Amino acid sequence: MKATAIAPSNIALVKYWGRRNDRLVLPYNGSISVSLNDLFTRTTVEFSSDFKEDIVVINGEVAEGEKFSRVINFVNMIRDIYSIDDHVKIVSENNFPTSAGLASSASGFAALTLACSKALGLNLSDKEISILARRSGSGSASRSIFGGFVEWHRGNRDDGTDSYSEQIVDEKYWRDFRIIVSIVAKSEKKISSARGMKYTVETSPFYKGWIDSIDNDLKRIRSGILDRDIELVGSVAEHNCLKMHSLMLSTVPPLIYWVPGTLQVIHTIHKLRDDDLACYFTIDAGPNVKVICSKNDVKEIEDVLTDKCSIEDIIVTKPGKGARITNSHLF
Ligand code: 2P0
């Protein structure tokens, strides 16, 4: 009844922003991401009738309040579906700096889903695990089940059985693809993505335009990935990110995740591009900027970013493996 899983963080090239069904975590639009080799969560889960209560420890601290309930609500859903009565102990650690403003929900909930399914002997397929992970607090966790480049299908059914993630190509397909994670601020965001996207759907006058433009972005990114075309993937990803941030800015109340350092990196990337370097940015629901480029250009871009921008930390990473079981337990 004890199992440990590792799952990667992922960065969306076509973003997920908006749910058509909150309870089932069904998105309004499909999304495509890359799973990251160097940012992951390890989670050990044990169910036992000997435990008197549920306990959750995240990065060495006993989780309380909203952090605890977000995890336990998901475990309760699994316990309900599979008629489990036992209490659970969950210990989870990120290998990347904590509260660095990097999305940890996707890797965290993907690792939790896989570890729970293994600990309970559920024998689920990858597709079923991805559907279960989708129903956690973090929809993008469904993408972290797979390695390399991954598409989360929007699906059309009301019951969500066709809204799951699938690998496009594995982590070895595009060996030169790199992401430079530039950390410009380490504060935790005030509004969660789930709440932010709900406000956007309800109030942004531009939401229809976003939805209408998604299929074309998905098509172009898919083809760019298959052709290993950094200009195509980078330019479509950057435009998609700016469209998502236009939605955020036009939400009531506005979601302004950028800080001055964010704009410094944006302008520096555009300047590098004017100088013919193929580099593009993408930004999620936070201030930090992820730069998409080829392996050979990493050093030059890193040097310029460090020199011109107020950067607290830089992590260079590449496409990595999907969620997997390991024997190295955390307790
Ligand atoms: C994505 N995001 O496709 C989109 C783009 C953020 C912007 O899925 O509140 O990880 O960060 O714990 O569920 C982020 O969603 O939310 C997300 P938080 P979650 O990657």
Side-chain angles (χ1 to χ4, degrees):
M1 292 293 261
K2 182 177 185 173
T4 300
I6 293 177
S9 177
N10 73 73
I11 284 174
L13 303 170
V14 177
K15 311 288 189 189
Y16 144 60
W17 200 252
R19 295 177 181 176
R20 64 183 201 275
N21 181 320
D22 238 348
R23 189 179 61 85
L24 294 175
V25 192
L26 297 177
Y28 269 113
N29 67 279
S31 53
I32 292 180
S33 61
V34 52
S35 291
L36 305 181
N37 189 55
D38 302 278
L39 288 86
F40 52 84
T41 302
R42 178 190 306 261
T43 300
T44 301
V45 169
E46 184 173 8
F47 289 89
S48 169
S49 53
D50 295 342
F51 297 156
K52 298 275 177 292
E53 58 179 3
D54 295 331
I55 177 161
V56 179
V57 180
I58 302 173
N59 296 315
E61 278 181 30
V62 176
E64 289 170 345
E66 215 175 300
K67 280 188 182 164
F68 175 80
S69 41
R70 201 173 168 188
V71 171
I72 292 302
N73 287 345
F74 178 51
V75 174
N76 284 343
M77 190 190 85
I78 297 177
R79 281 193 284 225
D80 274 355
I81 298 175
Y82 298 99
S83 308
I84 311 282
D85 293 326
D86 295 342
H87 282 296
V88 70
K89 178 175 180 181
I90 297 168
V91 177
S92 187
E93 274 173 17
N94 296 328
N95 80 324
F96 46 96
T98 41
S99 39
L102 298 169
S104 53
S105 316
S107 54
F109 280 98
L112 178 63
T113 307
L114 182 59
C116 283
S117 74
K118 176 81 179 169
L120 296 169
L122 301 181
N123 250 325
L124 303 177
S125 67
D126 283 353
K127 178 178 163 181
E128 288 168 322
I129 290 174
S130 131
I131 288 180
L132 193 56
R134 190 202 77 217
R135 296 199 57 190
S136 70
S138 163
S140 50
S142 75
R143 299 189 308 238
S144 280
I145 298 303
F146 300 94
F149 293 83
V150 181
E151 177 160 2
W152 173 12
H153 302 288
R154 172 198 191 276
N156 290 306
R157 293 191 206 131
D158 288 342
D159 66 1
T161 48
D162 58 351
S163 184
Y164 59 93
S165 294
E166 196 171 27
Q167 185 173 69
I168 299 172
V169 291
D170 72 10
E171 65 280 3
K172 296 191 201 87
Y173 185 83
W174 192 351
R175 290 182 185 275
D176 283 349
F177 188 92
R178 289 293 179 278
I179 290 190
I180 306 174
V181 182
S182 315
I183 297 164
V184 297
K186 294 194 175 175
S187 57
E188 286 199 25
K189 58 173 164 278
K190 289 186 220 93
I191 298 188
S192 73
S193 296
R195 216 141 52 89
M197 59 180 81
K198 188 171 187 315
Y199 295 158
T200 297
V201 172
E202 287 166 1
T203 64
S204 172
F206 305 141
Y207 199 69
K208 185 176 182 305
W210 163 257
I211 294 300
D212 289 346
S213 72
I214 287 291
D215 280 350
N216 196 36
D217 288 358
L218 290 170
K219 195 168 118 204
R220 294 176 76 206
I221 291 270
R222 264 186 232 119
S223 114
I225 290 168
L226 293 177
D227 292 343
R228 302 183 184 89
D229 182 339
I230 198 74
E231 280 89 5
L232 181 57
V233 169
S235 58
V236 176
E238 184 176 301
H239 186 226
N240 182 270
C241 149
L242 289 172
K243 284 189 288 189
M244 180 184 72
H245 282 272
S246 312
L247 293 179
M248 293 164 161
L249 294 172
S250 56
T251 293
V252 185
L255 303 164
I256 306 176
Y257 291 110
W258 297 0
V259 297
T262 314
L263 273 166
Q264 277 183 337
V265 177
I266 288 177
H267 286 297
T268 305
I269 292 303
H270 280 186
K271 172 83 178 57
L272 283 167
R273 233 167 43 225
D274 289 344
D275 298 339
D276 276 341
L277 217 66
C279 53
Y280 305 84
F281 64 81
T282 185
I283 306 162
D284 291 295
N288 299 315
V289 187
K290 293 94 181 190
V291 179
I292 297 162
C293 63
S294 292
K295 184 183 172 190
N296 288 345
D297 296 327
V298 166
K299 179 80 178 67
E300 190 175 347
I301 297 165
E302 223 186 325
D303 286 350
V304 173
L305 288 177
T306 318
D307 184 42
K308 303 274 185 219
C309 309
S310 359
I311 289 192
E312 295 189 17
D313 219 339
I314 278 197
I315 303 168
V316 180
T317 186
K318 59 184 180 182
K321 287 188 200 142
R324 59 229 179 245
I325 293 293
T326 163
N327 286 327
S328 46
H329 302 301
L330 288 169
F331 64 90

